[in-house]
């Protein structure tokens, strides 16, 4: 039976989460996942369209994969997700693609495969339907960390962003579905749960809001750590921060995309906050939770950005000292308002600005990591490779331990050295002094790079 499928996922946490949705749908239809493309009868690429470079990578990979069809003519190749939604009818007859399936149409995958096998014609299914995948329990790998998507889509229409066009309108998943998924993760041994959504702060179900939801989740037994990503700065209030800080499982970590430090650019981007408002929120968060780790997304080269605008971004980043920043060059995307904005910024100028920001942020991230030296941190062990164990602090800093310890357990560690950005820890055994409040730091996030998109 030709029932083996292989999946490769590109892009953000939402796509990683949705890989589990695709697996659940395929497994229910009696397909079996394999982890090697050469064994597969069907290959899915779950794709990203947020920047042109992300699309190029997928198209490059597709070029390689389609050669597998020479030795296996019945191989089916499916492009899923945001790039599928963006390109839809642009795939042509000999590009090797058999299925083009947008992010709202994964339930139809088994049917589309059958239709393709019957008709041997390309199946394109990309309608945006406000799908929430309620009733499906994603098939997740048994790991210590797990994701739950609590909402899909976006209504914000930032001027550079393709997401509202390829993922459709914002919609919240029901509380019941979220809780069922969390229980399922806990039963599978997950200890560290991240809620994901394009803007989690906007979650609501008609009677409850995001804070109500967090309070309910925080009380669930059986897991240790609760995170969420992404929060739009315009929606973050003092009340949010006060409630976050009161939750037992909340990890003091916030990903708050700044995008630019220039008010003129922020307005053109339709971000709906100013640099001053952003700074005030950060200041309040740090006052309330001095240990909080802050990460951000910043873009250079947005149309009309001048050296002065860029310098304001540079200055804000210098001032805030993010624990980590995802830095991008503006990339022109179809449908978006920024397409019509002129003048565009020269590519060489953008590259130079990007390099200056990377240099600044690398220095800051390194300094923040060095602060761990000799400190004591609580580490949740996520994996080991037979020699070393890898864990994470509550605020997302990866720590390496040079011995094998139990995966899924919490350990107090003393940081003996910092190698580049990575603290090397040693487990504190019971005879050693337990951490006191003032020698515990938790204020640095992991440099776990988002896939370069
Ligand atoms: N060009 C460059 N970066 C982009 N992002 C979103 N759209 C674009 C674009 N057109 C970045 C933003 C966002 C992150 C996920 O990707 O910084 O926060
Ligand atoms: Fe894109 Fe803005 Fe929505 Fe984020 S909030 S997904 S950047 S439109």
């Amino acid at each position: 039976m030709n029932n083996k499928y292989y999946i490769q996922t590109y892009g953000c946490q939402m796509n990683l989460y949705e890989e589990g949705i695709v697996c659940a749908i395929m497994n229910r239809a009696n397909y079996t996942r394999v982890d090697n493309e050469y064994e597969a009868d069907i290959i899915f690429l779950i794709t990203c369209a947020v920047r042109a470079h992300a699309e190029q990578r997928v198209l490059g990979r597709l070029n390689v994969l389609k050669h597998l069809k020479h030795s296996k003519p019945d191989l089916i190749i499916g492009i899923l997700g945001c790039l599928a939604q963006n390109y839809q009818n642009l795939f042509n007859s000999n590009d090797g693609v058999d299925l083009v399936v947008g992010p709202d149409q994964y339930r139809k995958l088994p049917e589309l495969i059958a239709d393709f096998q019957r008709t041997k014609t390309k199946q394109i299914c990309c309608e945006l339907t406000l799908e929430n995948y309620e009733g499906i329990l994603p098939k997740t790998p048994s790991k210590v960390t797990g994701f739950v998507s609590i909402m899909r889509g976006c209504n914000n229409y930032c001027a550079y962003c393709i997401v509202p066009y390829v993922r459709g309108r914002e919609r919240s998943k029901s509380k019941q579905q979220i809780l069922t998924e969390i229980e399922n993760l806990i039963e599978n041994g997950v200890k560290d749960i991240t809620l994901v959504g394009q803007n989690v702060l906007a979650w609501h179900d008609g009677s409850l809001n995001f804070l109500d939801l967090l309070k309910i989740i925080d009380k669930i037994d059986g897991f240790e750590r609760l995170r969420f990503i992404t929060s739009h700065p315009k929606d973050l209030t003092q009340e949010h921060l006060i409630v976050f800080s009161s939750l037992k499982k909340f990890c003091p970590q916030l990903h708050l995309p700044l995008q630019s430090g220039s008010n003129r650019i922020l307005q053109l981007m339709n971000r709906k906050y100013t640099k001053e408002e952003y700074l005030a929120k950060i200041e309040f968060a740090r006052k309330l939770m001095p240990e909080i780790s802050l990460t951000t997304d910043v873009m250079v080269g947005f149309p009309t950005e001048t050296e002065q605008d860029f310098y304001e971004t540079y200055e804000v980043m210098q001032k805030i000292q993010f624990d980590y920043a995802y830095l991008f060059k503006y990339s022109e995307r179809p449908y978006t308002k920024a397409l019509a904005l002129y003048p565009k910024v020269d590519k060489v100028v953008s590259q130079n600005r990007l390099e200056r920001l990377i240099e600044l942020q690398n220095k800051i991230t390194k300094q923040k990591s060095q602060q761990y030296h000799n400190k004591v941190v609580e580490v949740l062990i996520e994996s080991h490779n037979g020699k070393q164990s890898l864990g994470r602090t509550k605020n997302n800093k990866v720590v390496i331990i040079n011995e094998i310890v139990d995966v899924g357990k919490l350990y107090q560690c003393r940081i003996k050295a910092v190698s580049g950005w990575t603290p090397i820890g040693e487990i504190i055994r019971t005879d050693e002094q337990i951490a006191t409040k003032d020698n515990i730091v938790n204020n640095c996030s992991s440099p776990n790079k988002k896939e370069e998109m």
Side-chain angles (χ1 to χ4, degrees):
M1 194 180 164
N2 297 340
N3 69 343
K4 297 197 189 80
Y5 69 96
Y6 169 79
I7 305 193
Q8 185 171 359
T9 298
Y10 294 81
C12 62
Q13 278 95 343
M14 188 60 89
N15 268 3
L16 273 181
Y17 168 84
E18 288 180 1
E19 178 182 301
I21 296 281
V22 171
C23 290
I25 291 166
M26 291 295 287
N27 295 359
R28 197 151 70 181
N30 286 325
Y31 288 90
T32 306
R33 183 173 184 172
V34 290
D35 52 17
N36 170 346
E37 68 221 44
Y38 301 103
E39 274 178 54
D41 306 301
I42 305 167
I43 297 178
F44 292 135
L45 300 182
I46 303 187
T47 62
C48 170
V50 81
R51 279 171 291 277
H53 182 233
E55 292 189 341
Q56 289 315 318
R57 284 182 62 204
V58 173
L59 297 175
R61 178 77 173 125
L62 181 62
N63 248 332
V64 174
L65 288 176
K66 76 179 185 196
H67 292 297
L68 292 176
K69 287 193 170 186
H70 295 318
S71 51
K72 206 174 196 177
D74 288 337
L75 177 68
I76 296 176
I77 297 184
I79 299 289
L80 275 49
C82 297
L83 179 140
Q85 190 72 34
N86 185 21
Y87 272 66
Q88 295 189 37
N89 303 318
L90 292 181
F91 287 101
N92 60 40
S93 54
N94 58 4
D95 55 19
V97 177
D98 306 308
L99 309 173
V100 181
V101 186
D104 280 0
Q105 296 296 342
Y106 299 153
R107 285 183 199 266
K108 292 217 183 99
L109 280 171
E111 195 185 312
L112 293 166
I113 292 167
D115 287 349
F116 174 78
Q117 284 167 329
R118 195 167 36 78
T119 63
K120 298 287 175 220
T121 51
K122 185 174 294 185
Q123 301 293 307
I124 299 172
C125 189
C126 290
E127 201 188 338
L128 291 172
T129 59
L130 295 181
E131 174 61 81
N132 242 343
Y133 296 111
E134 301 257 343
I136 295 178
L137 269 185
K139 181 95 190 77
T140 48
S142 34
K143 279 168 81 173
V144 173
T145 54
F147 298 109
V148 178
S149 145
I150 63 166
M151 58 191 308
R152 303 181 78 241
C154 181
N155 288 349
N156 288 312
Y157 292 98
C158 298
Y160 48 79
C161 187
I162 197 173
V163 168
Y165 306 95
V166 290
R167 288 197 157 261
R169 299 287 61 73
E170 178 185 290
R171 68 219 84 143
S172 297
K173 210 184 245 180
S174 72
K175 179 186 90 180
Q176 201 41 56
Q177 173 72 20
I178 295 168
L179 297 183
T180 304
E181 289 187 32
I182 288 177
E183 289 299 347
N184 183 50
L185 290 180
I186 293 171
E187 274 167 32
N188 286 314
V190 170
K191 302 283 180 210
D192 184 320
I193 295 179
T194 304
L195 310 178
V196 298
Q198 256 73 38
N199 177 16
V200 290
L201 302 182
W203 184 90
H204 66 93
D205 71 354
S207 55
L208 304 179
N209 64 23
F210 181 59
L211 290 180
D212 301 322
L213 179 70
L214 281 185
K215 287 178 200 162
I216 295 169
I217 296 174
D218 192 56
K219 292 207 181 78
I220 299 174
D221 288 332
F223 79 108
E224 304 285 343
R225 293 175 172 186
L226 179 58
R227 312 177 193 274
F228 43 85
I229 187 166
T230 292
S231 307
H232 195 308
K234 79 176 163 60
D235 294 325
L236 183 74
T237 63
Q238 295 199 346
E239 187 198 355
H240 279 121
L241 292 163
I242 291 166
V243 173
F244 298 162
S245 70
S246 74
L247 299 174
K248 216 170 66 205
K249 296 191 167 87
F250 170 72
C251 293
Q253 165 203 358
L254 212 49
H255 183 69
L256 210 56
L258 167 67
Q259 310 299 3
S260 169
S262 150
N263 286 339
R264 192 184 69 79
I265 295 289
L266 285 171
Q267 193 174 8
L268 281 176
M269 286 176 163
N270 192 29
R271 290 292 287 174
K272 302 195 173 84
Y273 54 83
T274 61
K275 157 174 85 177
E276 290 75 20
E277 285 162 350
Y278 187 98
L279 284 166
K281 289 177 194 208
I282 297 277
E283 196 183 338
F284 187 82
R286 282 197 165 138
K287 228 179 234 160
L288 203 61
M289 298 172 268
E291 76 283 17
I292 197 165
S293 147
L294 295 166
T295 57
T296 197
D297 295 340
V298 172
M299 185 185 310
V300 297
F302 185 78
T304 82
E305 184 187 70
T306 60
E307 190 60 24
Q308 174 60 30
D309 294 316
F310 168 72
Y311 190 64
E312 287 185 46
T313 302
Y314 192 94
E315 261 186 341
V316 174
M317 292 191 61
Q318 232 172 358
K319 186 161 185 177
I320 294 180
Q321 304 263 308
F322 289 107
D323 294 281
Y324 188 74
Y326 300 93
L327 305 171
F328 308 109
K329 258 186 302 186
Y330 168 72
S331 159
E332 203 151 72
R333 300 284 65 211
Y335 320 115
T336 57
K337 289 237 170 65
L339 281 179
L341 280 177
Y342 290 91
K344 308 293 180 197
V345 177
D346 182 86
K347 284 200 168 63
V348 177
V349 172
S350 291
Q351 180 64 30
N352 175 273
R353 289 179 188 164
L354 180 69
E355 283 168 14
R356 280 186 276 164
L357 275 194
I358 291 175
E359 196 186 325
L360 169 69
Q361 187 56 46
N362 281 351
K363 221 184 273 168
I364 297 171
T365 301
K366 196 164 175 198
Q367 270 166 8
K368 294 230 165 202
S369 297
Q370 295 297 337
Q371 290 169 3
Y372 275 79
H373 199 224
N374 278 330
K375 302 291 182 196
V376 174
V377 290
E378 188 178 63
V379 175
L380 176 64
I381 306 299
E382 292 183 5
S383 61
H384 63 73
N385 63 4
K387 265 194 197 151
Q388 294 177 315
S389 305
L390 180 147
R392 209 174 281 267
T393 64
K394 210 168 176 188
N395 58 358
N396 215 18
K397 185 74 190 171
V398 170
V399 175
I400 301 288
I401 293 157
N402 283 323
E403 63 174 303
I404 306 303
V405 285
D406 291 346
V407 170
K409 281 209 172 142
L410 289 165
Y411 289 90
Q412 297 287 325
C413 291
R414 185 178 304 283
I415 303 303
K416 290 291 184 189
V418 179
S419 161
W421 290 350
T422 310
I424 314 292
E426 206 172 77
I427 308 275
I428 298 178
R429 306 292 177 200
T430 42
D431 56 340
E432 208 173 332
Q433 182 195 355
I434 297 298
T436 59
K437 252 210 147 78
D438 56 4
N439 68 352
I440 294 182
V441 280
N442 254 332
N443 65 347
C444 204
S445 70
S446 86
N448 55 337
K449 283 211 179 96
K450 240 189 228 176
E451 201 165 344
E452 229 283 87
M453 290 186 283

